Amino acid sequence: MDDPARSHAPPPGPPGPPGPAAATGSTDAAAAGQRVRELEREIEALQQSHGQLLNLLDATAIATVFLDRELRVVRYTPAACALFRFIPGDLGRPLSDLATPLRYAGLMADAGRVLRHLTPVEREVEAGAGTWYLARVLPHRTGEGQVAGVVLTFVDISELRLAQRALRESEARFGAIVNQASVGVLQADETGRIFFVNRHYARMLGYDEDELVGTLLMELIHPEDRAASMERTERLLRDRQPFQIEKRCLRKDGSVLWMHNSVGLLDAQGDATPSLVVVSTDIGERRRAEDALRASEERLRLIVENAVEYAIFSTDLQGRITGWNTGAERLLGYSEPEVAGRFADLVFTEEDRASGAPRLELQAALREGHAMDDRWHVRKDGSRFWASGALMPMRGPDGLVGFVKILRDQSQQRAAQQALEAANRSKDRFLAVLSHELRNPLASIHAAGTALAEPDLPAPERGRATDIVRRQAQTMKVLLDDLLDVSSLRLGRMNLRKGWVPVRVLVEAAVESTRHGLDDAAHALAVSVPEPELQLFVDPVRMSQVLSNLLTNAVKYTPDGGRIALDVARHGGELVFCVSDNGIGMEAGVVESMFEMFAQRPSELRPGAGGLGIGLALVRSIVELHGGRVSGDSTGPGQGSRFTVAVPIDGLPGEVRPDPQPPASATDAAAAARLPRVLLVDDNADAVWPIARLLGLRGFDAQVALSGSEALTQVVHAPPDVLVLDIGMPSPDGYEVARAVKAMPDAQDVRLIAATGWGQPDDVERTRRAGFDAHLVKPLDLDELVTALRRLCPGT
């Protein structure tokens, strides 16, 4: 190839004359010649390098094609002839005109794109079955950096593709085998981050395989087992010794799974780091079985060796003690050395030994396979206890070797059973008394009612019959109230409604409630209240009930014409009430038992006076709820009795209480005398008519409605001041009527009183939530009704 530099050098000039100018010219010529020679050497080196490059391209197995900017063939290597079937005449032809086995439809488009954007393109293309090339299209630049065209290279990667295919098939076979395995398999890098997990492992923990890839292995381990697992893993990475471990793993739903794990290292080729391989099996069932076995063994050990409630000991065939657990030592008082070799009948009572009970028990155990007994036994100190026992034969490999006896102290259970039996007897006695006490007033009411039905009955006798009905109905009401109070106390539902109450009010209420009994028996009652306006923080109804019960007892157990006293005195922070009488009295040892439920004195002066034996029990419970105490005293039969109640004046410590209210003024009393208009609503005409008549006699404007619908009609035309509603009427019932009234614009000021046979705290709370202002229990007490009316409408 001609040297371009040489072909373009200027021709040498003719020689000039000598002289200074000539000398200068000679110097310049010499320099120019030297420069020409250097250029010639550089061109020669460049030509030599270019030749070597061309020779290298011709010798390489990489097919290479040079295209100019019009994508015409400029040069190609011999290896490219197999792909494009080049002949010397193809130089200068567009590459697109040439046929090729390459399946590269976008070749010319890629070449044009590279010319435009100067960005190389690389693709894998096929050239027949099993033959693949890595095709690269790059910009071809001149020595001056100008883009002269593109260069195409094609590297045969057929073997690489075959190797990749074989690798993929191998990995697929490995994955199929691993995923079909009945054990869990995972791989993680040295940091513990999972990059492969088989289907079984994922399913054991409730995940999909993809959910676990990228997760840290330690996050799947129970927090309490992570430290041990991490320590073993660090040792594996350091010493390269595989290990096995049982640990708890966490399922996706948070539950715990016990797993057995075999952990090893899988070495990687080249410089890659080894990975952790974990093979896991579910051992939950085995662990549960082991835990159950250990628990069973532990229970047996506790029963045999450390049972507190069970005495377990063994004997030989003759009944001599051979084993003695700590439970037997605690229950019977003997240590094992003290009883070893002694006959086991030492735990039986003297009378049972005399009757042959130990021998008969051994015989029954041999005959039946076991012997059960419930009897008294004896401790080392001679004390007795009631125990349930079981004696069973003990067999070894060679047959019967002795007996084992198990005892359990049942003294408390026996006492509870006896208490239950006593309670049943008390219940039966109570029912008998209740039947008797209810029949007496019922008989009186029935007889008086029959007399009142006679039209010719004289007025005095009619008045007497009326008094009998009223008095006996009151007796029945007291019985029912006591029963309800006892039920509330036993269920823990008696709620106190405490407030500041003058002592005078409590005493007057109690005396008034027993006035009829006092007058009938001609008793003299002496009342001493030095500070009548002293205020107590108590439930006024319940404290009046306490004093009334004590006075009623004094009336019942004092002969006619007796003396009864009620004395009130302040002692420090307490107020003490003392009720005394000169009645029949009682033995000193009997006084405390009178406060028990259903207890009654041995003899009564007035069998028809009524009573269930619960009055004093109720008194004690109410007083104790107030933080007080009650006691009784009698010097003996015929010497009278004295009952004392002491309650704190200011209530219980820490109790929230308002300031005491000043006494009511005369103006307040006058306002309270103004009575409202009342509408009584009840479907029982016989019950509501007398109440309405009595309210009328006391100055009330009392009207009656015998159904909820009738009541609503009257309210629409003339709203009353107070509506007394029977809750249990047929539809609409009392609750429905109350809701309808509250919805009436003209009846917003109507006050509501519930009249019902249900009087438990839950019933009262229900009517309160329904909007009732008061809750009265049937049969309605006229005085209670009037009091409620005055409280609800004091200004009328």
Side-chain angles (χ1 to χ4, degrees):
M1 182 179 292
D2 294 334
D3 187 342
R6 185 179 298 121
S7 62
H8 293 289
T24 302
S26 297
T27 303
D28 292 340
Q34 179 65 27
R35 177 61 180 158
V36 168
R37 287 191 294 274
E38 291 177 358
L39 289 174
E40 289 176 344
R41 285 194 296 272
E42 290 178 3
I43 290 172
E44 183 179 359
L46 181 61
Q47 290 176 341
Q48 184 178 1
S49 174
H50 182 64
Q52 291 174 348
L53 177 60
L54 294 177
N55 291 334
L56 177 63
L57 288 175
D58 290 342
T60 183
I62 299 176
T64 305
V65 180
F66 292 87
L67 304 178
D68 61 14
R69 295 185 64 84
E70 284 73 32
L71 303 182
R72 291 175 299 197
V73 179
V74 176
R75 185 174 178 82
Y76 53 85
T77 63
C81 293
L83 292 179
F84 294 95
R85 300 182 182 89
F86 286 123
I87 60 175
D90 290 335
L91 293 174
R93 292 181 61 184
L95 183 64
S96 58
D97 293 346
L98 304 177
T100 176
L102 289 171
R103 297 173 184 173
Y104 190 178
L107 174 59
M108 302 312 295
D110 283 348
R113 189 178 301 110
V114 170
L115 275 178
R116 290 191 302 273
H117 303 293
L118 304 180
T119 301
V121 174
E122 184 175 290
R123 301 184 189 278
E124 292 185 5
V125 297
E126 192 176 8
T131 304
W132 285 84
Y133 289 91
L134 177 62
R136 292 190 178 92
V137 185
L138 304 96
H140 178 213
R141 299 178 184 272
T142 65
E144 290 78 17
Q146 299 297 320
V147 177
V150 296
V151 59
L152 312 176
T153 63
F154 300 89
V155 180
D156 190 342
I157 58 171
S158 301
E159 292 184 1
L160 177 61
R161 291 279 296 201
L162 288 174
Q164 289 176 340
R165 179 179 177 182
L167 178 60
R168 286 194 298 270
E169 292 176 350
S170 175
E171 290 176 345
R173 285 194 299 272
F174 171 77
I177 293 171
V178 170
N179 277 321
Q180 291 299 322
S182 60
V183 296
V185 180
L186 68 81
Q187 282 184 271
D189 60 23
E190 287 185 304
T191 67
R193 192 168 298 278
I194 299 171
F195 60 83
F196 169 79
V197 61
N198 76 336
R199 186 179 302 114
H200 188 76
Y201 190 95
R203 287 178 177 175
M204 283 195 296
L205 295 184
Y207 291 91
D208 293 331
E209 294 97 315
D210 294 342
E211 291 182 281
L212 290 177
V213 173
T215 302
L216 286 174
L217 180 58
M218 284 298 165
E219 293 179 357
L220 303 178
I221 300 175
H222 193 282
E224 296 179 7
D225 294 342
R226 287 175 185 170
S229 184
M230 187 175 295
E231 188 272 331
R232 298 291 296 275
T233 302
E234 291 173 352
R235 191 188 311 170
L236 168 66
L237 293 172
R238 183 180 66 251
D239 302 334
R240 309 182 69 81
Q241 292 297 319
F243 67 90
Q244 297 183 356
I245 188 172
E246 291 184 0
K247 59 187 177 184
R248 291 164 291 178
C249 291
L250 300 176
R251 289 190 176 97
K252 185 178 180 179
D253 61 7
S255 59
V256 175
L257 175 67
W258 272 99
M259 302 177 76
H260 177 276
N261 295 272
S262 298
V263 187
L265 280 179
L266 181 64
D267 289 325
Q269 296 181 352
D271 297 332
T273 58
S275 60
L276 298 171
V277 178
V278 182
V279 180
S280 303
T281 54
D282 181 353
I283 59 170
E285 288 294 334
R286 194 200 80 195
R287 292 286 302 203
R288 284 189 287 273
E290 292 175 350
D291 290 344
L293 178 60
R294 282 194 296 271
S296 177
E297 292 174 347
E298 180 65 13
R299 285 194 298 270
L300 180 60
R301 186 186 69 82
L302 290 174
I303 291 173
V304 174
E305 297 182 8
N306 296 305
V308 176
E309 297 183 353
Y310 295 90
I312 304 174
F313 56 90
S314 58
T315 71
D316 59 17
L317 293 175
Q318 288 72 41
R320 287 186 289 264
I321 297 172
T322 57
W324 190 262
N325 81 328
T326 54
E329 180 175 344
R330 297 186 63 173
L331 181 60
L332 294 163
Y334 296 96
S335 65
E336 186 170 7
E338 288 180 294
V339 296
R342 296 177 62 180
F343 284 102
D345 62 0
L346 61 86
V347 303
F348 285 80
T349 63
E350 185 64 34
E351 53 269 30
D352 283 344
R353 287 200 297 270
S355 65
R359 175 178 51 81
L360 295 174
E361 187 178 53
L362 289 174
Q363 293 174 354
L366 288 173
R367 183 176 62 253
E368 304 293 339
H370 66 278
M372 311 293 293
D373 66 351
D374 291 276
R375 64 175 75 246
W376 290 105
H377 291 75
V378 182
R379 296 186 178 90
K380 177 182 177 180
D381 61 7
S383 61
R384 295 191 175 198
F385 64 98
W386 185 268
S388 296
L391 180 70
M392 295 159 287
M394 188 168 53
R395 302 184 185 277
D398 299 326
L400 185 65
V401 297
F403 299 89
V404 60
K405 178 83 178 253
I406 301 176
L407 283 177
R408 186 178 186 185
D409 186 355
Q410 296 285 352
S411 300
Q412 292 184 352
Q413 289 82 347
R414 179 175 172 81
Q417 179 64 30
Q418 291 175 335
L420 179 60
E421 293 171 356
N424 283 332
R425 290 191 298 270
S426 178
K427 178 196 68 176
D428 293 340
R429 184 173 68 251
F430 161 71
L431 292 176
V433 172
L434 176 62
S435 175
H436 175 269
E437 294 297 337
L438 288 177
R439 286 181 184 277
N440 281 339
L442 280 175
S444 300
I445 291 172
H446 181 270
T450 302
L452 287 171
E454 290 294 332
D456 298 331
L457 187 69
E461 283 77 3
R462 184 176 298 277
R464 182 177 179 184
T466 301
D467 288 341
I468 290 173
V469 171
R470 181 181 60 79
R471 185 169 59 253
Q472 296 302 329
Q474 180 65 23
T475 298
M476 293 183 67
K477 183 178 184 300
V478 170
L479 292 176
L480 291 174
D481 287 345
D482 283 350
L483 285 175
L484 292 174
D485 288 341
V486 169
S487 175
S488 296
L489 284 170
R490 287 191 168 182
L491 296 175
R493 294 178 179 174
M494 178 172 280
N495 298 319
L496 300 181
R497 295 174 174 81
K498 301 175 75 172
W500 292 102
V501 185
V503 178
R504 168 184 53 79
V505 173
L506 299 176
V507 172
E508 289 175 354
V511 172
E512 179 62 26
S513 66
T514 54
R515 174 60 64 188
H516 186 80
L518 288 164
D519 293 342
D520 284 350
H523 290 318
L525 175 64
V527 178
S528 173
V529 186
E531 299 178 81
E533 298 305 325
L534 175 65
Q535 297 198 47
L536 276 175
F537 191 67
V538 294
D539 184 323
V541 174
R542 294 303 179 186
M543 281 307 300
S544 295
Q545 184 180 5
V546 166
L547 299 179
S548 176
N549 280 357
L550 294 179
L551 288 173
T552 299
N553 269 6
V555 170
K556 287 167 55 179
Y557 296 103
T558 300
D560 290 353
R563 297 188 306 277
I564 300 173
L566 171 57
D567 297 302
V568 184
R570 185 209 296 250
H571 291 284
E574 292 183 328
L575 196 66
V576 178
F577 301 86
C578 181
V579 177
S580 59
D581 60 65
N582 63 342
I584 63 175
M586 67 190 89
E587 296 286 349
V590 178
V591 175
E592 185 62 27
S593 65
M594 288 296 99
F595 290 100
E596 297 176 2
M597 197 66 70
F598 311 130
Q600 293 178 316
R601 299 198 193 182
S603 62
E604 292 192 24
L605 298 175
R606 298 173 181 81
L612 299 175
I614 60 178
L616 289 178
L618 197 58
V619 164
R620 170 167 284 180
S621 298
I622 293 173
V623 170
E624 290 177 349
L625 284 175
H626 281 82
R629 61 189 185 281
V630 61
S631 61
D633 178 46
S634 178
T635 56
Q639 302 300 313
S641 302
R642 182 174 63 249
F643 289 87
T644 303
V645 170
V647 292
I649 295 174
D650 294 332
L652 298 173
E655 194 170 30
V656 178
R657 49 189 177 270
D659 293 332
Q661 297 298 316
S665 65
T667 303
D668 295 334
R674 294 191 294 271
L675 301 175
R677 178 175 175 270
V678 182
L679 177 60
L680 300 166
V681 187
D682 198 313
D683 60 336
N684 186 345
D686 291 343
V688 73
W689 177 81
I691 296 295
R693 291 289 298 162
L694 291 171
L695 286 177
L697 293 174
R698 294 203 180 189
F700 287 85
D701 181 7
Q703 303 296 323
V704 172
L706 298 180
S707 69
S709 301
E710 183 182 346
L712 290 174
T713 301
Q714 293 194 36
V715 172
V716 169
H717 289 89
D721 295 303
V722 179
L723 192 60
V724 182
L725 282 169
D726 175 22
I727 296 299
M729 293 184 298
S731 184
D733 62 16
Y735 291 111
E736 293 170 326
V737 172
R739 286 194 292 270
V741 170
K742 286 187 171 294
M744 296 179 184
D746 296 334
Q748 296 299 307
D749 296 331
V750 175
R751 311 302 294 272
L752 301 177
I753 296 177
T756 174
W758 304 99
Q760 295 299 310
D762 290 346
D763 304 313
V764 177
E765 177 62 20
R766 184 182 178 192
T767 58
R768 186 193 66 78
R769 290 198 303 268
F772 284 86
D773 301 291
H775 184 107
L776 300 180
V777 179
K778 291 183 175 181
L780 292 178
D781 181 278
L782 185 62
D783 291 335
E784 290 183 1
L785 177 57
V786 170
T787 300
L789 293 173
R790 289 173 177 169
R791 178 175 61 83
L792 293 177
C793 299
T796 58

